[in-house]
Amino acid sequence: MRARITGTGRSVPEKVLTNADFEKMVDTTDEWITTRTGIKERHIATEDEALSDFAIPAAKAALEMAGVAGEQVDLVIVATVTSDRTFPATSSIVQDAIGAKGAAAFDLSAACTGFIYGLGVAQHMIAGGAARNAVIVGGEVLSKIVDYSERATAVLFGDGAGAVVLSAVAEDDEVQSGLLSVKMHSDGSLGDLIDRPGGGSRNPINSPSGKAGENGHLGYLRMRGNETFKVAVRTLAQVSKEVLAACDLDATDVNWFIPHQANLRIIDAVGQRLHIPEGRTYINVERYGNTSAASIPIALDELNRDGRIAAGDVVLLSAFGSGLTWGAGLVRW
Ligand code: UT7
């Protein structure tokens, strides 16, 4: 069996923070944020909102488009580093809400690359006969772990969720549409470039030693932006080439390139390295900021719902993130 994307969906918080809002919060300017990142605004969850508040509607929208009922879903993956609670997994909350009775469900931690990893895992489970309809959500509420007094990271991130339904189709399907290939990588030696040190078993919140309590910053996301930037460009270009080569395709065959929306300068640099033809790279970072695992499925849903992806189009997805992790997927629509 081959795995095919049969539905897409997205959901983001209503509340928006603009660059003008940040000018009032930290020592920054719209000009700095725009020229260094391309970001103009981002959607931010309220105090009461959590990941499942966006993951569930995104999953439901994807299921509706696919025409797949909840009870037909046998696998739910939520790629995230900001689940509702440390455990149980948010995927089980989604599984229950969509009526996927008894479906396997787990959260997947690969940061901004999580959605690509989810596609890869689900693809192999479908090909191996372990699942027929999978819901894969990439969702993040990074605003809950961002330090809004730290200008270098505060302006970058946004919240939201995107989802796809991946369904089994027979190999002899005429259009040969489906997920052609997924490649996934990691390099733990670069784990300090982006991390959140608190809240795990190394620095537990509420630990008797009070570690995280004494150092509030352990609960915040930390990033070495400059070094991350360089690795991002290199790994995104590398893995995109790898997935194209695996399918005997090159950049001229790509109808839509959807890179992880972290920074417009990274997107431009990668597009140039890959020689993606003009106008074929999808960019929405100006409206969402970096939504981590949600960025690719949100972009995919925008393009798809706007009717801009035609049957037979080749869509290249690639991401990098904390871990470090990086990966790419190639889809024939
Ligand atoms: O998906 C997660 C992966 N993460 C990323 O993709 C992030 C990758 N990195 C980046 O996007 C960029 O490195 C940043 C946007 C984070 C920073 O851009 P940069 O061009 O690398 O700037 P920088 O860190 O070298 O900082 C340049 C200057 C510094 O001031 P000095 O030392 O030159 O006086 C910073 O303090 O810009 C300053 N700065 C700011 N100024 C105004 C940093 N943040 C801000 C800010 N507003 N928000």
Side-chain angles (χ1 to χ4, degrees):
M1 299 302 276
R2 186 182 318 115
R4 185 167 162 247
I5 294 175
T6 49
T8 62
R10 69 178 187 276
S11 171
V12 298
E14 268 177 38
K15 185 177 151 194
V16 168
L17 272 185
T18 65
N19 291 351
D21 293 326
F22 276 101
E23 286 179 345
K24 292 176 211 139
M25 293 159 61
V26 285
D27 180 16
T28 193
T29 59
D30 172 46
E31 203 262 335
W32 190 97
I33 302 171
T34 306
T35 53
R36 299 289 180 121
T37 72
I39 300 165
K40 285 288 191 189
E41 59 185 38
R42 53 306 265 152
H43 294 258
I44 300 290
T46 61
E47 210 170 301
D48 296 338
E49 287 171 326
L51 176 62
S52 61
D53 296 322
F54 310 108
I56 292 167
K60 284 184 173 171
L63 284 167
E64 194 184 342
M65 184 189 287
V68 170
E71 59 265 26
Q72 295 173 280
V73 172
D74 37 27
L75 172 64
V76 180
I77 301 176
V78 175
T80 191
V81 295
T82 47
S83 48
D84 283 24
R85 289 176 268 174
T86 307
F87 65 89
T90 300
S91 55
S92 293
I93 299 171
V94 174
Q95 169 267 319
D96 180 44
I98 64 175
K101 211 164 185 294
F106 59 91
D107 286 2
L108 192 159
S109 175
C112 306
T113 320
F115 178 74
I116 300 287
Y117 268 62
L119 281 184
V121 171
Q123 178 194 28
H124 288 291
M125 286 185 69
I126 286 173
R132 290 195 63 81
N133 289 296
V135 169
I136 300 136
V137 180
E140 219 74 83
V141 191
L142 287 176
S143 63
K144 306 279 181 171
I145 60 166
V146 161
D147 178 355
Y148 281 97
S149 67
E150 167 50 38
R151 65 179 182 176
T153 47
V155 300
L156 301 177
F157 298 101
D159 301 333
V164 299
V165 176
L166 211 57
S167 305
V169 288
E171 286 283 359
D172 56 5
D173 139 60
E174 270 176 30
V175 196
Q176 296 286 301
S177 69
L179 205 44
L180 303 177
S181 179
V182 179
K183 300 288 177 192
M184 301 172 264
H185 299 288
S186 83
D187 180 355
S189 73
L190 298 173
D192 287 343
L193 289 188
I194 320 169
D195 72 347
R196 183 198 187 211
S201 54
R202 180 71 60 198
N203 294 294
I205 295 170
N206 302 329
S207 83
S209 67
K211 265 189 193 167
E214 283 164 18
N215 301 294
H217 66 274
L218 291 179
Y220 287 130
L221 178 155
R222 306 184 300 188
M223 185 174 69
R224 303 205 316 242
N226 229 286
E227 291 159 76
T228 307
F229 191 104
K230 288 172 201 152
V231 186
V233 174
R234 178 166 49 79
T235 54
L236 280 172
Q238 229 170 44
V239 75
S240 301
K241 284 181 189 162
E242 184 188 352
V243 81
L244 283 166
C247 303
D248 284 326
L249 297 173
D250 63 39
T252 57
D253 297 306
V254 173
N255 299 95
W256 282 111
F257 174 41
I258 308 180
H260 171 43
Q261 308 283 313
N263 181 319
L264 184 57
R265 289 188 295 141
I266 295 176
I267 295 172
D268 286 345
V270 174
Q272 279 164 22
R273 280 195 184 200
L274 290 175
H275 304 293
I276 298 289
E278 188 73 23
R280 297 196 196 169
T281 301
Y282 190 70
I283 299 166
N284 65 9
V285 69
E286 72 282 1
R287 288 177 285 122
Y288 294 101
N290 179 348
T291 57
S292 183
S295 91
I296 289 177
I298 287 175
L300 186 62
D301 185 56
E302 283 192 342
L303 264 177
N304 189 28
R305 280 180 197 269
D306 286 353
R308 295 169 69 189
I309 316 180
D313 273 2
V314 172
V315 184
L316 169 64
L317 317 168
S318 54
F320 75 97
S322 174
L324 283 186
T325 54
W326 62 100
L330 202 62
V331 181
R332 190 182 300 282
W333 207 254

